[in-house]
Amino acid sequence: MAVERIGLVVHQGRRAALDAARTVHAWGEAHGVPCTEIDVWRDHEPRHDDQEEASAAGNPDLVVTLGGDGTFLRGARIAARSDAAVLGVDLGRVGFLTEVPAAHVTEALDAVHHDRAVVERRMTLTMRASRPLEMPSEVEALLRHGRGPSLPPPHVRAGATGEGWGVPLDIIALNDIVLEKLARDRQVALGVYIAGRLLASYSADAVIVATPTGSTAYSFAAGGPVLSPHMDAVVFTPVAPHMTFDRTVVAAPDEPVALRILPHSGEVAVSIDGQLRGALEPGDWVGVYGATYRLRLVRLGPIDFYTRLRERFHLTDAPATAADGQAAPLFRPDTPVPDDLAHLRFPPLPEAPPEERTGPRR
C-alpha cells in the first residue's frame, strides 16, 4: 500500500518514543506524506472519540503507534474508524501486538510504502446494550484519580435497533470487553447467556469477553487459555468467581455472549480494551459479539506467534527435562513441504530469504 497519510500515537512518557516520533515525521516529510499526532490530550482537557480523532488527522490510511500494547490499542480504536492499517513500534515489555524495534522504524515505513509488508486481519468485538453507556461524574472522578482524562462514552450506531435487541454501540474492541465491580465489597452479579441461552449466574470480581488476540492479555492473567490469533472465537473468562465452576468458556465466533446485571449486584464498570467507557446498574444488560470489521495489523513478515509466546512470557522447560537438553526442531527440514502438509501453517525458516521459503503463507 502506498502510504498517503499517517496518524501517529506516541507514548509521551518515554524518551525512545519521542525520538522515534521525530524519525516518523522526518520520513513523512521526505516522502511528502502528511503525519499528524493523534490521541494527544492534557489533564484538564477532555479526550476525543475515535471519529473526531480520525477526522482531525484527515482519516489516515496508516496509524503508527510508538509504545507498548496499550499505546497500540489507542491507535487501533482510531484506525478502525477509517479502516487504516496499524503499525506498532515496540517500546513495551510484554507486548504481543507491537513488532518493529524503534531502530528499524524507517525500514518498516519503507516496507509498508512499497507494499513489502504483510497485513494480518484480526477479529474484533462490538456490542449492544439495553441503553447507551453513561459514566456518573463521581464514579469517573474516583476511578480516574491520578490518571489522565477518560474517553467519552461510545455513541449509538446509526440504524434500526429492533425492539428487545437493545441499542448498537459504536465501539470496536481488539482485545476485550470487561465488566468489573466498582466497590470492593460489592461483587458483580451477572446472568451469563451464550448464544441466547443461560449458561449460569455468576458472582465475581469481573468477567472478561475477549478475542483470540486478547487471550494473552487480561483473560490470560485471570487463568484463561491462550488462543492462536489466527482463529476466530469469543472467549468468556470470569475473574475470581464465587462458585465452583470457574472455567473459561470458548464460544464460536457467531455465538454472542450476553451479560445481564442481576438485581442485587453492585454497580458495574464497563471497559473496552482497557479504557473505562461507562457504568451499568442492576437491570441493565450488554451483548458482546464478533464484529464484521477486522483490524488490519502490519507485519514485516509472517508472525511466529508461539516463539513470541515463549519469549515474552519467559516460558521455561520442566526441570525434569534438563538432562535432555533443548528439544530439537520438529518438521521443517530444508526441503519442500510434502503435499499432505501443504495446507498447514508453519513458521518461516529463519535462514532462508522470503523468496526461497516453501509452504503456504497466509
Side-chain angles (χ1 to χ4, degrees):
M1 56 176 283
V3 180
E4 297 182 359
R5 190 176 295 273
I6 294 175
L8 187 59
V9 182
V10 184
H11 191 304
Q12 298 291 334
R14 295 188 179 177
R15 181 177 296 276
L18 299 175
D19 292 341
R22 286 188 283 271
T23 301
V24 176
H25 281 292
W27 185 93
E29 291 177 3
H31 291 79
V33 176
C35 181
T36 304
E37 295 197 16
I38 50 180
D39 201 20
V40 180
W41 70 90
R42 300 180 186 278
D43 286 345
H44 62 279
E45 297 176 354
R47 292 176 69 181
H48 302 292
D49 63 26
D50 47 12
Q51 183 174 10
E52 293 169 332
E53 291 283 3
S55 296
N59 292 309
D61 55 348
L62 178 67
V63 172
V64 179
T65 70
L66 306 172
D69 279 3
T71 307
F72 186 95
L73 291 170
R74 287 169 51 197
R77 74 173 180 88
I78 301 168
R81 169 58 58 181
S82 52
D83 194 28
V86 189
L87 172 66
V89 177
D90 187 13
L91 298 168
R93 299 180 180 87
V94 195
F96 281 84
L97 298 172
T98 56
E99 175 183 15
V100 178
H104 298 161
V105 173
T106 299
E107 294 91 327
L109 290 170
D110 286 338
V112 176
H113 193 53
H114 296 291
D115 207 21
R116 297 196 304 267
V118 175
V119 177
E120 294 183 356
R121 295 181 180 270
R122 294 287 182 89
M123 176 185 175
T124 61
L125 297 173
T126 189
M127 63 188 291
R128 282 178 172 252
S130 54
R131 61 176 175 84
L133 293 183
E134 298 175 346
M135 180 57 69
S137 57
E138 65 275 10
V139 172
E140 181 176 2
L142 174 65
L143 295 183
R144 286 291 166 183
H145 179 69
R147 304 181 66 180
S150 61
L151 288 167
H155 297 299
V156 175
R157 277 188 281 120
T161 57
E163 185 176 354
W165 294 94
V167 294
L169 299 181
D170 192 13
I171 65 101
I172 290 292
L174 177 62
N175 264 2
D176 49 42
I177 294 173
V178 178
L179 274 62
E180 55 193 325
K181 66 182 183 179
L182 283 174
R184 186 171 182 231
D185 60 344
R186 295 294 303 276
Q187 298 295 108
V188 172
L190 301 162
V192 178
Y193 303 76
I194 297 182
R197 297 297 183 185
L198 179 67
L199 174 67
S201 293
Y202 285 74
S203 176
D205 284 359
V207 296
I208 306 163
V209 184
T211 64
T213 296
S215 70
T216 52
Y218 191 8
S219 178
F220 174 82
V226 173
L227 276 65
S228 167
H230 301 293
M231 68 182 292
D232 285 357
V234 180
V235 185
F236 168 76
T237 302
V239 180
H242 288 222
M243 57 193 298
T244 301
F245 185 72
D246 61 355
R247 303 300 178 89
T248 292
V249 176
V250 180
D254 59 353
E255 294 178 329
V257 176
L259 310 162
R260 182 182 294 277
I261 316 302
L262 298 179
H264 294 92
S265 174
E267 203 166 15
V268 178
V270 181
S271 296
I272 300 166
D273 279 345
Q275 296 285 330
L276 184 68
R277 302 302 297 275
L280 299 173
E281 298 178 348
D284 293 333
W285 60 263
V286 298
V288 181
Y289 51 97
T292 56
Y293 174 81
R294 290 178 177 270
L295 189 73
R296 298 192 293 143
L297 274 65
V298 176
R299 303 294 192 189
L300 299 187
I303 183 174
D304 188 356
F305 173 71
Y306 298 100
T307 295
R308 179 170 294 188
L309 180 71
R310 180 179 176 89
E311 293 173 349
R312 294 297 173 96
F313 283 165
H314 301 286
L315 301 186
T316 56
D317 303 320
T321 68
D324 299 315
Q326 186 170 357
L330 184 66
F331 289 150
R332 299 315 306 272
D334 192 13
T335 57
V337 177
D339 289 343
D340 64 318
L341 302 180
H343 65 291
L344 302 180
R345 184 189 302 272
F346 291 109
L349 291 171
E351 70 277 9
E355 63 272 13
E356 295 179 8
R357 293 173 185 164
T358 60
R361 291 293 171 262
R362 302 191 295 276

